[in-house]
Amino acid sequence: MLKKRVSIIHGPNLNLLGKREPEHYGNMTLEEINSMLINRAKELNIEIDIFQSNSESEIIDKIQSLSSDFTIINPAAFTHSSVAIRDSLVAKKIKFIEIHLSNVFAREAFRKNSFFSDVAVAIISGLGPEGYVAALNYINQSE
Ligand code: DQA
């Protein structure tokens, strides 16, 4: 069977995980989350690549260059503002799962609006880093 290829995209300020508002985002650093995902991907025989950027244009360029079967994206603050990143995912016809570490529906009102959810395969919000693992598990068993 061909190896599935999954791209993981982390949006702005997620490079600060571990020190950033641990009451919302927990104590794991982005490096620790990424190693957990690399290990799980190995177990599932999935090929992954991981990208983080604080820049909207770099995220768009990354999406335009994707050749993976599936994407797992935490657009972070761009969730609530970026028509441009949404448009790049739609233009690329890429299947993606939207992830949030925190439960965005239990926070400020502006976080309830996402420019991504209606074009995502699914959203996972509030499971912390386990949300990324759940997304990988789902992709593993999907067609
Ligand atoms: C976030 C939630 C967003 O509202 C916030 O701007 C983030 C992180 C999350 O993972 O819970 O930066 O996407």
Short mmCIF file of all heavy atoms in Angstrom, two decimals, residues 12-14 20 24-25 74-80 99-104 107 110-111, ligand 1:
data_model
loop_
_atom_site.label_atom_id
_atom_site.label_comp_id
_atom_site.label_asym_id
_atom_site.label_seq_id
_atom_site.Cartn_x
_atom_site.Cartn_y
_atom_site.Cartn_z
N PRO A 12 0.53 31.20 13.56
CA PRO A 12 1.29 32.18 14.34
C PRO A 12 1.24 31.96 15.85
O PRO A 12 0.21 31.55 16.39
CB PRO A 12 0.64 33.51 13.98
CG PRO A 12 -0.71 33.17 13.47
CD PRO A 12 -0.56 31.83 12.80
N ASN A 13 2.34 32.23 16.48
CA ASN A 13 2.53 32.17 17.94
C ASN A 13 2.57 30.75 18.50
O ASN A 13 2.79 30.57 19.70
CB ASN A 13 1.46 33.00 18.68
CG ASN A 13 1.52 34.46 18.30
OD1 ASN A 13 2.59 35.05 18.36
ND2 ASN A 13 0.41 35.04 17.87
N LEU A 14 2.36 29.76 17.66
CA LEU A 14 2.42 28.39 18.16
C LEU A 14 3.87 27.97 18.42
O LEU A 14 4.12 27.00 19.13
CB LEU A 14 1.69 27.42 17.22
CG LEU A 14 0.18 27.73 17.12
CD1 LEU A 14 -0.48 26.82 16.09
CD2 LEU A 14 -0.53 27.60 18.47
N ARG A 20 3.48 29.98 26.40
CA ARG A 20 2.38 30.85 26.04
C ARG A 20 1.07 30.41 26.70
O ARG A 20 0.57 29.32 26.43
CB ARG A 20 2.20 30.80 24.52
CG ARG A 20 1.04 31.61 24.02
CD ARG A 20 0.76 31.35 22.54
NE ARG A 20 -0.37 32.13 22.14
CZ ARG A 20 -1.15 31.86 21.11
NH1 ARG A 20 -0.89 30.81 20.35
NH2 ARG A 20 -2.17 32.63 20.83
N HIS A 24 -4.53 27.90 28.57
CA HIS A 24 -5.28 27.60 27.34
C HIS A 24 -4.59 26.54 26.50
O HIS A 24 -5.24 25.71 25.87
CB HIS A 24 -5.43 28.86 26.47
CG HIS A 24 -6.35 29.87 27.04
ND1 HIS A 24 -7.65 29.57 27.38
CD2 HIS A 24 -6.16 31.18 27.34
CE1 HIS A 24 -8.23 30.65 27.87
NE2 HIS A 24 -7.35 31.65 27.86
N TYR A 25 -3.25 26.60 26.47
CA TYR A 25 -2.54 25.80 25.47
C TYR A 25 -1.67 24.69 26.05
O TYR A 25 -1.04 23.95 25.30
CB TYR A 25 -1.69 26.73 24.58
CG TYR A 25 -2.53 27.83 23.94
CD1 TYR A 25 -2.25 29.17 24.15
CD2 TYR A 25 -3.64 27.49 23.15
CE1 TYR A 25 -3.03 30.17 23.57
CE2 TYR A 25 -4.43 28.49 22.59
CZ TYR A 25 -4.12 29.82 22.81
OH TYR A 25 -4.91 30.79 22.24
N ASN A 74 -3.50 24.06 12.21
CA ASN A 74 -3.96 24.93 13.28
C ASN A 74 -3.65 26.35 12.80
O ASN A 74 -2.51 26.81 12.93
CB ASN A 74 -3.25 24.63 14.59
CG ASN A 74 -3.78 25.50 15.73
OD1 ASN A 74 -4.47 26.49 15.49
ND2 ASN A 74 -3.46 25.15 16.96
N PRO A 75 -4.64 27.04 12.23
CA PRO A 75 -4.36 28.37 11.69
C PRO A 75 -4.16 29.42 12.79
O PRO A 75 -3.88 30.58 12.49
CB PRO A 75 -5.62 28.69 10.86
CG PRO A 75 -6.43 27.43 10.81
CD PRO A 75 -6.04 26.62 12.00
N ALA A 76 -4.35 29.00 14.06
CA ALA A 76 -4.17 29.90 15.21
C ALA A 76 -5.00 31.18 14.99
O ALA A 76 -6.15 31.09 14.56
CB ALA A 76 -2.69 30.14 15.47
N ALA A 77 -4.42 32.36 15.23
CA ALA A 77 -5.23 33.58 15.13
C ALA A 77 -5.75 33.83 13.71
O ALA A 77 -6.80 34.48 13.54
CB ALA A 77 -4.41 34.78 15.60
N PHE A 78 -5.08 33.27 12.70
CA PHE A 78 -5.57 33.45 11.32
C PHE A 78 -6.90 32.74 11.09
O PHE A 78 -7.60 33.04 10.12
CB PHE A 78 -4.54 32.96 10.30
CG PHE A 78 -3.30 33.82 10.20
CD1 PHE A 78 -2.04 33.25 10.04
CD2 PHE A 78 -3.39 35.21 10.24
CE1 PHE A 78 -0.90 34.03 9.93
CE2 PHE A 78 -2.25 36.01 10.14
CZ PHE A 78 -1.00 35.42 9.99
N THR A 79 -7.25 31.81 11.99
CA THR A 79 -8.57 31.16 11.91
C THR A 79 -9.68 32.20 11.80
O THR A 79 -10.65 32.01 11.07
CB THR A 79 -8.83 30.38 13.24
OG1 THR A 79 -7.73 29.53 13.49
CG2 THR A 79 -10.13 29.60 13.18
N HIS A 80 -9.50 33.26 12.58
CA HIS A 80 -10.58 34.23 12.75
C HIS A 80 -10.45 35.42 11.80
O HIS A 80 -11.22 36.37 11.90
CB HIS A 80 -10.59 34.71 14.21
CG HIS A 80 -10.33 33.61 15.19
ND1 HIS A 80 -11.18 32.55 15.34
CD2 HIS A 80 -9.28 33.37 16.05
CE1 HIS A 80 -10.68 31.72 16.26
NE2 HIS A 80 -9.53 32.19 16.69
N ILE A 99 -7.49 22.22 13.51
CA ILE A 99 -7.20 21.87 14.91
C ILE A 99 -7.06 23.13 15.77
O ILE A 99 -6.45 24.11 15.33
CB ILE A 99 -5.82 21.15 15.01
CG1 ILE A 99 -5.80 19.87 14.18
CG2 ILE A 99 -5.45 20.87 16.47
CD1 ILE A 99 -6.46 18.71 14.82
N HIS A 100 -7.59 23.06 16.96
CA HIS A 100 -7.28 24.06 17.99
C HIS A 100 -6.96 23.33 19.27
O HIS A 100 -7.69 22.41 19.66
CB HIS A 100 -8.46 25.01 18.20
CG HIS A 100 -8.83 25.72 16.93
ND1 HIS A 100 -8.05 26.72 16.41
CD2 HIS A 100 -9.84 25.53 16.07
CE1 HIS A 100 -8.59 27.11 15.26
NE2 HIS A 100 -9.68 26.39 15.02
N LEU A 101 -5.89 23.76 19.91
CA LEU A 101 -5.52 23.15 21.20
C LEU A 101 -6.61 23.43 22.24
O LEU A 101 -7.02 22.56 23.00
CB LEU A 101 -4.18 23.72 21.67
CG LEU A 101 -3.00 23.36 20.78
CD1 LEU A 101 -1.89 24.38 20.90
CD2 LEU A 101 -2.49 21.97 21.12
N SER A 102 -7.05 24.69 22.28
CA SER A 102 -8.08 25.08 23.25
C SER A 102 -9.46 24.89 22.63
O SER A 102 -9.59 24.76 21.40
CB SER A 102 -7.87 26.55 23.63
OG SER A 102 -8.05 27.39 22.50
N ASN A 103 -10.48 24.90 23.49
CA ASN A 103 -11.85 24.86 22.98
C ASN A 103 -12.25 26.30 22.64
O ASN A 103 -12.61 27.08 23.53
CB ASN A 103 -12.78 24.27 24.04
CG ASN A 103 -14.23 24.28 23.59
OD1 ASN A 103 -14.56 24.81 22.52
ND2 ASN A 103 -15.10 23.72 24.39
N VAL A 104 -12.18 26.64 21.37
CA VAL A 104 -12.40 28.04 20.97
C VAL A 104 -13.84 28.49 21.24
O VAL A 104 -14.11 29.69 21.35
CB VAL A 104 -12.04 28.29 19.48
CG1 VAL A 104 -10.54 28.26 19.26
CG2 VAL A 104 -12.72 27.30 18.54
N ARG A 107 -14.39 30.30 24.71
CA ARG A 107 -13.54 31.47 24.98
C ARG A 107 -14.22 32.74 24.48
O ARG A 107 -15.44 32.81 24.44
CB ARG A 107 -12.15 31.24 24.36
CG ARG A 107 -11.46 30.00 24.96
CD ARG A 107 -10.09 29.75 24.38
NE ARG A 107 -9.22 30.89 24.62
CZ ARG A 107 -8.05 31.07 24.02
NH1 ARG A 107 -7.64 30.18 23.12
NH2 ARG A 107 -7.31 32.11 24.29
N PHE A 110 -15.11 36.36 19.63
CA PHE A 110 -14.48 36.44 18.29
C PHE A 110 -13.83 35.13 17.88
O PHE A 110 -13.61 34.88 16.70
CB PHE A 110 -13.47 37.60 18.21
CG PHE A 110 -12.23 37.43 19.05
CD1 PHE A 110 -11.14 36.72 18.57
CD2 PHE A 110 -12.15 37.99 20.32
CE1 PHE A 110 -9.99 36.56 19.33
CE2 PHE A 110 -11.00 37.84 21.09
CZ PHE A 110 -9.92 37.11 20.61
N ARG A 111 -13.54 34.25 18.85
CA ARG A 111 -12.91 32.97 18.50
C ARG A 111 -13.92 31.94 17.97
O ARG A 111 -13.54 30.89 17.48
CB ARG A 111 -12.17 32.38 19.70
CG ARG A 111 -10.97 33.20 20.10
CD ARG A 111 -10.13 32.52 21.15
NE ARG A 111 -9.38 33.51 21.89
CZ ARG A 111 -8.20 34.02 21.50
NH1 ARG A 111 -7.61 33.58 20.41
NH2 ARG A 111 -7.60 34.94 22.23
C1 DQA B 1 -5.77 28.41 18.76
C2 DQA B 1 -6.99 29.25 19.12
C3 DQA B 1 -6.94 30.60 18.44
O1 DQA B 1 -8.08 31.37 18.78
C4 DQA B 1 -5.70 31.36 18.91
O2 DQA B 1 -5.61 32.60 18.24
C5 DQA B 1 -4.46 30.58 18.77
C6 DQA B 1 -4.47 29.14 19.06
C7 DQA B 1 -5.72 27.09 19.55
O3 DQA B 1 -4.92 26.24 19.17
O4 DQA B 1 -6.46 26.91 20.52
O5 DQA B 1 -3.39 31.13 18.52
O6 DQA B 1 -5.82 28.10 17.38
#
